[in-house]
Structure formats: C-alpha cells, structure tokens
Amino acid sequence: MRIFRQLSTPRLLGLLAAVVVVAIGASVAAMAALGSSAPTPTAEPLDQALRDAASAAGPDGITARVQFTNNLFPSSASGRLWWSSDGQGRIELQSDSGDTQILWGPGKAVTAYDSSSNTVYRLPVDVPARSANDGKAPPSLADIDRFLNGLAEHWTLSGAIPSDVAGQPAYAVRISPAHSGGLLGALQLAWDANQGVPLEIGVYAQGQSSPVLGLAVTDVSYGPVSSGDLAISPPANAKTVDLGTAGTGDQNGSKSESGGQNVSGLAAVQAQLPFTVSAPAELVGLPRQTVRLIGGSEKGALVLYGHGLGAVAVVERQATSGGGGQLSQLPQVSIGSATGHELATQLGTIIAFQSGGVSYLVAGSMPASAAETAARSLE
C-alpha cells in the first residue's frame, strides 16, 4: 500500500470520497426520467415492488443532476451524471476544494481526475457489459422471496415505502443490521417505480436522520448520451497514479514463505515476524477470531476480533523511524505511554500509534472512546 503513504491527507481523504462516489455511481448508473408529474405510487409488498423493478426495460441513456453528501469528512458536492445503456458512465462533481470527474465502463479502468491536485487515479475494475437483451428472465417472486428471507437473517427490512424522488414516483426500502452493526444505523435505497432504477442511496449512522454518505438525483432526463459526455480529458501535464498495484504485494507477501499458502494462526504468524505480536484473546469484549500474516516488503500481522460490521481489526508491523504515515497528520491521542493519531467519524474510528518498536493500526465501527480502550489494551 506504499502508494497511499505518498498521498497527502487531503488528497487521500478526497480519493476515499471519490471511491465511495464510484461505488454509489455504479448503482445509480441506470436512472431514468419520466413525465413532469410524479404521483406517489400505489403501495405494494416489497417483493412485488422489487419484481416490477427487475422486470423494467430501462432507458437508452441518462443525463442527471446529482447531489453528493459526505458527512464522514464534512463536505458536499453537486454535479452531473451521464450513463449509457451499454454500461458506460461519468460523474462530474464540483465542490469548494475543486472539481472531480469519474469515468467507468466495460473494458475500462475506473478513472478519477482530481483537478485540485491535477492528478489522474486509475483503478482496474471489471465492469461487465450491459445488454438490454441478455436472454435472462427476470427473477420470479419465489426467487425474490428467497433472497429477502436470507437477507432478513442478518438485516431488518422495511417494506416498499411509496415515495417521490427528483419528481419521479419511487419506492424506498430501509435496512438496518439485525445484530451488531457497529455504528452503522441503516442503508436506504430509493428507485423509480416505473423504470426500476436507483434514484437515491444513503448510509446512516445510528440515531441519525440525515445520511452520513449519500448520492441523490435532483433532476433527470433520459435518452441517448453522446460519446463526448462519456469521456474526460485531463491536462497533458496531469500526474497519473496507478492504484492497480496497491494490493498485489500484500497478497504475494503473505504467501511467499509458506509454500504458496496463506499463513494464519498466532504461532505460525509469530514465527514469520521479528517482533512480538500483541493478540490478546479478547479485545473490548470481543473474542479473537483470526490472526493472519500480511505484508510484502513490510510483513505484519492482521488480528480480527468479533464478527461482521461490529468487528475490530488490528494491524501490527515493525516500527520504522519517522513512521506514522498519513495518519500522523491527524489529531493526537494518548495511548498509555505512547502518542497516537486518531481519525474519528460517525461510522467508525481509526487509531495509529507506535510502542515498543511495533506500529499498530486499530480500526472498527465504534466510537473513539472504545477504539482508544482497544488501543491501550495492546500498548
């Protein structure tokens, strides 16, 4: 992950926000506009509303205005979205910190251009081609019921809530963790009642009525989209950062000294590392689940506690002089005899600190006070 350590904190946080926008944009990438009036649709059971959405033909293309909300690192942006029926799309966002453009499509890397740093980020992603006539029948009600029953084992689902989004008749569904979800309160998705395509998506923290992260359509129209709207042209002197190599070293590093097999288990991982791994059997009330070797040129240990969204991850590596990376620019926090750096958001907390020649990174969907307690248990 060396490439991320070379980014400044504003650029790193901006890139994280951009990745979130790509993920959300891939879902919103089939939006449609209908007539000027938008009556609230007739109430329907959730499975029937989803069946109707899956059976809808979908538009030839989309042109839309969107609003992106980011309360993790408080900021907001507005802009436009273009999408064509073959799966190609582009989002252009304007904010006080500069403009960002994101492009994706079948056979293309996801490309994000940040004008404030004049940098192009490229991330290889396999986006499947979309065909309106792929020969597949839409799922039956029985198929959807099986899916919803499986989902209900881990999530609490609302019904299909008749709504109105961007002047379009829509349904919304809200789901929340049935068990420990950490600080995550709910996810909400709204889709066009006639075309069956997403119009709004939001991520909510516990006890919050406004989304922490959200992308909402504010105005839409449909029809063919020109090729010029599905291209970006960064300046010739723009810096290019290839994110495709970021994960390669970690995967290979965890296998290199174990005959091609992943190294797991506290004893096996400890045998590969020059420092003592701190892996108590329990951390802030959560039992230890796994210990794995990670690395590449800087091997370390990944220790996981608990399950699901409420889990806590601890990464340990041998400390280096002047260490701390990007998190060293964040607010300081006392971790026993050490001084750490903390990133606290509505959805979780990350703490980085060094102690006894070991660098620690603690991350989880938990309040800052719980993360600090976990960190002090390791120090």
Side-chain angles (χ1 to χ4, degrees):
M1 306 294 287
R2 181 177 297 108
I3 187 65
F4 292 102
R5 294 196 296 272
Q6 296 173 349
L7 301 178
S8 67
T9 295
R11 297 283 71 77
L12 178 62
L13 300 186
L15 179 59
L16 290 174
V19 171
V20 171
V21 173
V22 172
I24 295 175
S27 296
V28 180
M31 295 176 299
L34 305 177
S36 58
S37 62
T40 299
T42 304
E44 286 189 349
L46 179 59
D47 58 352
Q48 183 61 57
L50 291 173
R51 175 67 166 78
D52 293 344
S55 303
D60 292 331
I62 301 298
T63 301
R65 291 193 174 277
V66 296
Q67 179 71 36
F68 175 57
T69 300
N70 175 13
N71 288 322
L72 276 182
F73 316 109
S75 66
S76 63
S78 60
R80 294 176 293 176
L81 178 146
W82 297 266
W83 176 85
S84 64
S85 59
D86 63 357
Q88 297 187 73
R90 178 166 77 93
I91 291 179
E92 181 181 87
L93 294 173
Q94 293 88 38
S95 68
D96 292 340
S97 59
D99 296 349
T100 299
Q101 297 189 61
I102 305 165
L103 181 70
W104 70 91
K108 298 181 178 180
V110 172
T111 301
Y113 172 64
D114 174 22
S115 64
S116 63
S117 63
N118 195 28
T119 302
V120 176
Y121 300 96
R122 299 188 188 278
L123 178 66
V125 175
D126 184 15
V127 178
R130 185 182 185 275
S131 172
N133 183 20
D134 57 9
K136 296 180 181 178
S140 65
L141 276 177
D143 293 331
I144 293 174
D145 286 338
R146 281 192 292 270
F147 169 76
L148 292 176
N149 289 336
L151 194 63
E153 295 179 3
H154 305 284
W155 297 84
T156 299
L157 286 75
S158 72
I161 305 168
S163 183
D164 173 355
V165 179
Q168 310 304 323
Y171 291 108
V173 63
R174 190 178 181 95
I175 67 173
S176 55
H179 310 293
S180 174
L183 296 182
L184 177 66
L187 305 173
Q188 183 164 304
L189 173 71
W191 66 92
D192 189 293
N194 294 317
Q195 293 291 329
V197 292
L199 296 175
E200 185 176 65
I201 188 168
V203 181
Y204 294 77
Q206 285 186 12
Q208 299 296 316
S209 58
S210 298
V212 177
L213 292 170
L215 188 68
V217 176
T218 58
D219 182 68
V220 291
S221 61
Y222 73 98
V225 176
S226 70
S227 59
D229 288 330
L230 297 171
I232 60 177
S233 301
N237 64 344
K239 176 184 177 182
T240 299
V241 176
D242 184 3
L243 302 178
T245 60
T248 306
D250 287 351
Q251 288 183 339
N252 294 336
S254 65
K255 299 179 181 180
S256 60
E257 296 187 36
S258 56
Q261 301 298 315
N262 289 317
V263 178
S264 61
L266 179 56
V269 171
Q270 181 63 79
Q272 298 282 339
L273 299 173
F275 59 88
T276 300
V277 177
S278 179
E282 186 177 276
L283 196 65
V284 289
L286 300 174
R288 188 182 70 216
Q289 299 298 330
T290 60
V291 182
R292 298 175 185 169
L293 185 71
I294 59 174
S297 61
E298 300 177 7
K299 291 194 296 184
L302 170 64
V303 189
L304 297 178
Y305 292 87
H307 294 282
L309 296 173
V312 176
V314 179
V315 176
E316 303 177 29
R317 300 182 189 273
Q318 190 163 22
T320 57
S321 59
Q326 299 300 318
L327 291 179
S328 64
Q329 302 178 44
L330 295 171
Q332 293 185 349
V333 60
S334 175
I335 305 297
S337 60
T339 298
H341 297 272
E342 180 179 80
L343 174 62
T345 74
Q346 295 182 55
L347 292 179
T349 304
I350 298 174
I351 295 177
F353 68 100
Q354 293 187 3
S355 179
V358 181
S359 69
Y360 297 88
L361 181 71
V362 179
S365 182
M366 55 187 172
S369 58
E372 292 165 13
T373 297
R376 293 182 183 114
S377 299
L378 300 167
E379 192 264 340

